[in-house]
């Protein structure tokens, strides 16, 4: 892939095939940590960091460890192992250097381990046969797409705080409807073809 | 025919990966170790754990840290019982004086039957928002807006809006002060639990004006003042107020009040 192709691939991962709105990966943190834009941004940054680093590490694990030994069929387990260790590491790192973000993310930080967006990005790399640089770029763009989605949605939710909806819609139902509407808006990008 | 290597190689690789990652994490946990003050944990256990926010910090854990750092006083938590406050003081090595337990009281009796409304409010159900529109829909500029900003702030289900007026349930109120901090009219007072009577009005308008705004507002007639045997009740700024330190709880003021707004609190 040349530079232009990588840019196109990143654009596709960021908007056209947005993790949340087109593939429905990572809906748990998307709904759980999107109450305030500041925490949503923190979550997005943490996920971006995890996905990008895990993309690089899992690429190395797959092509330098699993493939030479013919163990491709074990990639899911291997990726989960690597991702779990990485999230642990990031948790310690945040606790030491950014305690405010650590306490704001709370339970959702260890839950990044089971965030399917992280595993799926590692599996997609293998499926699409990306090289190392492409993998890192793809992971970075896709997770930025996640960050964009969660921050935009957090902005929407702060506005909804001031609304006075019927009792049946209050809280979670309205949140889900808003998420659906936002997904429809993002579906406009699916018409963009390269 | 599968061979023994087909099993041993994956097992070996995964074991090696697991051990390597384990060692890396063990090293990281040493490098990134965070020193926690054990006093924070001890104080946190003594706090009520309701995370009500009445102290001004985001929760009990934040207050415990602030107390240890010396930013907050050991007595900062109003919801904490006297025994635990003493223990927190002991942990911090400070002398804590006697703490008077308090609870919230709404100093207004103007509900939808007694107060006069000046317009119909249909905006967001929030007192702070309504207060910005000409001071709320009640004619009295000091009256309870009655949209329940205090109800939302209460973590103990102790305050409710009844007929357009906030009412505290004394059996549930722990005196955290979260509602008092938010009320845009500053109508909620933290009064000592032991107090016997209080004046449920804060109208600082003259008697004639108050009369037009509310049928239960203080008209500063001074009858209570004249009848008090210990000079505990005084009318200042056209509204009566009781000095709880002097009040002996005889109830003469409540008996004589022509507007019946001096209420027994127990």
């Amino acid at each position: 892939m040349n530079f232009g192709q990588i840019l196109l691939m990143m654009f596709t991962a960021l908007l056209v095939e947005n993790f949340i709105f087109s593939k429905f990966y990572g809906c748990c943190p998307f709904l759980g940590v999107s109450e305030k834009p500041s925490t949503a941004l923190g979550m997005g940054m943490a996920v971006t960091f995890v996905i990008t680093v895990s993309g690089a590490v899992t690429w190395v694990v797959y092509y330098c460890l699993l493939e030479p030994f013919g163990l491709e069929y074990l990639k899911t387990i291997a990726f989960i192992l690597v991702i779990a260790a990485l999230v642990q590491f990031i948790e310690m790192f945040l606790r030491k250097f950014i305690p405010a973000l650590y306490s704001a993310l709370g339970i959702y930080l260890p839950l990044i381990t089971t965030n399917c967006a992280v595993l799926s990005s590692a599996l997609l790399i293998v499926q699409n046969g990306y090289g190392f640089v492409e993998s890192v770029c793809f992971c970075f763009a896709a997770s930025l797409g996640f960050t964009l989605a969660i921050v935009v949605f957090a902005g929407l939710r702060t506005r909804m705080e001031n609304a006075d909806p019927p009792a049946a819609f209050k809280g979670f139902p309205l949140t889900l409807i808003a998420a659906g509407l936002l997904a429809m808006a993002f579906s406009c990008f699916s018409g963009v073809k390269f | 025919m599968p061979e023994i290597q087909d099993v041993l190689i994956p097992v070996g690789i995964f074991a090696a990966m697991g051990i390597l990652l384990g060692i890396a994490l063990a090293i990281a946990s040493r490098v990134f170790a965070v020193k926690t003050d054990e006093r924070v944990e001890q104080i946190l256990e003594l706090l009520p754990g309701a995370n009500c926010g009445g102290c001004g910090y985001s929760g009990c854990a934040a207050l415990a840290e602030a107390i240890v750092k010396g930013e907050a006083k050991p007595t900062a938590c109003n919801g904490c019982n006297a025994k635990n406050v003493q223990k927190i003081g002991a942990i911090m090595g400070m002398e804590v004086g006697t703490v008077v337990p308090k609870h919230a009281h709404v100093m207004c009796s103007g509900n939808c039957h007694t107060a006069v409304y000046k317009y119909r409010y249909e905006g967001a159900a929030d007192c702070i928002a309504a207060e910005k529109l000409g001071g709320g829909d009640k004619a009295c500029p000091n009256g309870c807006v009655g949209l329940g900003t205090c109800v939302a702030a209460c973590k103990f289900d102790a305050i409710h809006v009844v007929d357009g007026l906030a009412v505290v349930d004394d059996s549930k109120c722990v005196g955290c002060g979260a509602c008092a901090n938010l009320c845009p009219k500053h109508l909620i007072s933290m009064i000592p639990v032991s107090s016997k009577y209080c004046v449920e009005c804060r109208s600082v308008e003259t008697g004639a004006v108050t009369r037009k705004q509310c049928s239960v507002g203080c008209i500063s007639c001074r009858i209570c003042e004249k009848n008090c045997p210990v000079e505990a009740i005084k009318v200042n700024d056209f509204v009566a107020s009781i000095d709880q330190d002097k009040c002996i709880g005889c109830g003469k003021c409540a008996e004589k009040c022509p507007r019946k707004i001096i209420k027994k609190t127990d």
Side-chain angles (χ1 to χ4, degrees):
Chain A
M1 269 194 210
N2 59 30
F3 182 67
Q5 279 170 314
I6 289 184
L7 262 188
L8 282 182
M9 182 265 296
M10 284 176 77
F11 183 78
T12 311
L14 180 68
L15 293 173
V16 183
E17 288 176 3
N18 189 290
F19 267 2
I20 286 176
F21 295 130
S22 131
K23 293 181 192 282
F24 304 107
Y25 297 152
C27 284
C28 167
F30 175 68
L31 294 170
V33 207
S34 55
E35 270 169 10
K36 272 190 287 175
S38 54
T39 3
L41 187 64
M43 185 71 191
M45 302 287 248
V47 170
T48 304
F49 185 63
V50 172
I51 290 186
T52 312
V53 176
S54 78
V57 176
T58 50
W59 189 91
V60 173
V61 167
Y62 185 79
Y63 286 104
C64 301
L65 202 62
L66 299 182
E67 210 178 34
F69 291 99
L71 300 176
E72 289 94 338
Y73 64 95
L74 286 174
K75 60 176 183 287
T76 310
I77 301 175
F79 290 171
I80 289 175
L81 185 67
V82 170
I83 290 164
L86 258 178
V87 172
Q88 280 289 311
F89 178 79
I90 287 162
E91 199 181 341
M92 285 186 244
F93 180 85
L94 284 185
R95 194 165 168 212
K96 172 85 176 173
F97 294 107
I98 321 173
L101 184 59
Y102 173 80
S103 55
L105 291 177
I107 184 67
Y108 289 99
L109 187 58
L111 279 181
I112 296 179
T113 319
T114 51
N115 186 340
C116 58
V118 183
L119 181 63
S120 69
S121 62
L123 291 172
L124 279 173
I125 288 169
V126 175
Q127 200 180 357
N128 297 345
Y130 288 141
F132 184 75
V133 178
E134 291 145 34
S135 300
V136 175
C137 291
F138 168 78
C139 283
F140 182 65
S143 48
L144 267 193
F146 176 87
T147 310
L148 175 75
I150 194 169
V151 171
V152 166
F153 191 56
L156 268 184
R157 280 183 76 169
T158 45
R159 284 300 189 91
M160 288 197 304
E161 292 267 299
N162 297 328
D164 187 20
F169 283 101
K170 219 163 215 167
F172 216 61
L174 198 63
T175 309
L176 288 177
I177 291 170
L181 290 174
L182 197 55
M184 279 168 72
F186 264 74
S187 74
C188 298
F189 287 112
S190 64
V192 183
K193 284 260 155 39
F194 299 111
Chain B
M1 184 65 192
E3 292 183 34
I4 190 74
Q5 295 99 296
D6 293 343
V7 179
L8 284 184
I9 290 173
V11 169
I13 286 177
F14 272 78
M17 262 173 76
I19 291 169
L20 269 179
L21 289 172
I23 292 172
L25 281 180
I27 294 170
S29 72
R30 282 284 172 81
V31 174
F32 297 133
V34 180
K35 267 188 216 158
T36 45
D37 197 326
E38 57 186 20
R39 290 182 298 177
V40 176
E41 288 292 315
Q42 288 170 352
I43 292 176
L44 188 58
E45 268 175 37
L46 292 169
L47 293 172
N51 296 316
C52 64
C55 54
Y57 291 90
S58 60
C60 294
L63 176 64
E65 263 178 43
I67 291 176
V68 169
K69 275 187 199 157
E71 289 168 9
K73 285 183 187 160
T75 52
C77 178
N78 293 324
C80 200
N81 64 39
K83 218 198 224 165
N84 283 0
V85 171
Q86 297 294 344
K87 280 187 194 161
I88 293 172
I91 291 171
M92 292 304 296
M94 282 184 205
E95 202 60 45
V96 181
T98 45
V99 184
V100 183
K102 290 184 173 181
H103 60 193
H105 201 90
V106 183
M107 298 301 185
C108 178
S109 9
N111 60 24
C112 61
H113 308 297
T114 50
V116 174
Y117 286 77
K118 59 186 175 205
Y119 67 88
R120 246 181 78 192
Y121 178 77
E122 285 186 350
D126 179 71
C127 302
I128 297 164
E131 204 271 335
K132 292 196 162 57
L133 284 171
D137 52 1
K138 279 177 189 159
C140 174
N142 306 292
C144 172
V145 185
L147 290 169
T149 294
C150 49
V151 178
C154 185
K155 292 273 160 65
F156 305 94
D157 190 36
I159 191 163
H160 300 280
V161 173
V162 182
D163 291 342
L165 174 69
V167 180
V168 178
D169 180 347
D170 288 342
S171 64
K172 287 184 184 163
C173 181
V174 300
C176 70
C179 52
N181 289 341
L182 272 182
C183 178
K185 299 285 191 186
H186 308 293
L187 266 178
I188 304 176
S189 284
M190 303 306 297
I191 58 169
V193 173
S194 57
S195 50
K196 304 279 191 307
Y197 288 89
C198 69
V199 184
E200 289 192 348
C201 182
R202 280 277 175 83
S203 172
V204 290
E205 308 288 324
T206 56
V209 176
T210 304
R211 219 178 259 280
K212 282 177 196 153
Q213 290 167 343
C214 182
S215 63
V216 288
C218 177
I219 47 171
S220 51
C221 63
R222 295 179 187 266
I223 290 176
C224 50
E225 205 178 291
K226 284 166 202 152
N227 280 285
C228 183
V230 289
E231 294 185 348
I233 190 160
K234 283 270 178 312
V235 175
N236 282 322
D237 291 335
F238 305 106
V239 63
S241 62
I242 298 176
D243 183 342
Q244 298 292 355
D245 293 335
K246 286 186 189 165
C247 176
I248 52 167
C250 65
K252 278 198 179 116
C253 50
E255 202 179 293
K256 301 276 182 187
C257 177
R259 312 281 277 181
K260 297 293 166 212
I261 48 170
I262 304 179
K263 304 260 174 72
K264 205 167 161 57
T265 58
D266 47 21

